[in-house]
Amino acid sequence: MPRFNEAMDAVARRLPFGLSRIVPGNLVGFGVINGFTFAVDLTLLTIMRSGLGWPLPVSITIGYVIAFGLSFVLNRAFNFRSHAPVGPQVGIYVVVVVVNYLAWILGVGSGLAALGVDYHLARLAAGACEAVYMYAAMRWVVFRRAAGTPSPAASSGSPAAPATPGSHP
């Protein structure tokens, strides 16, 4: 698991245009993991909607639940390396996901599709909105660290890791 964080930190350190100073490795890791789970979501959506002819809301919901369950497990283990009790994290994650689902997936995704936008494009637009929301929620709410606990990036010496209070650059 530390290898994943080391690889993501290495990518973050090589970002151009000064981004290496502001983009932490766990944002890169989030992009990698959630890019994969989003592909799983779209694949399931396409199979259920176009292949099986299931109703769009049912197809969206099933793909979403599977992809977000996978996202939680992968982000918890590899990206945020959380060792906190899983029960409370799952409870918080469920609330975050329900809000995400109602606002971005059904609201934006189904809303755009109802307006005539292809459901793939509608899902991509909703995905862009949810990516920002979900990263912020996972980093600062679901997998937040107790005060005084160093982040995996800080303990690996990543320059993209945010400074801890009292530390000097």
Side-chain angles (χ1 to χ4, degrees), residues 27-45:
L27 178 56
V28 176
F30 177 85
V32 168
I33 289 171
N34 285 60
F36 169 71
T37 61
F38 188 64
V40 168
D41 187 351
L42 283 178
T43 300
L44 293 172
L45 171 61

Side-chain angles (χ1 to χ4, degrees), residues 94-113:
V94 167
V95 172
V96 165
V97 167
V98 167
V99 169
N100 181 65
Y101 179 75
L102 294 173
W104 306 118
I105 307 308
L106 285 184
V108 173
S110 291
L112 289 174

Side-chain angles (χ1 to χ4, degrees), residues 45 56 60 100-127 129-130:
L45 171 61
L56 185 59
I60 288 172
N100 181 65
Y101 179 75
L102 294 173
W104 306 118
I105 307 308
L106 285 184
V108 173
S110 291
L112 289 174
L115 292 172
V117 176
D118 176 76
Y119 71 90
H120 288 102
L121 294 176
R123 184 63 184 91
L124 287 170
C129 296
E130 80 175 291

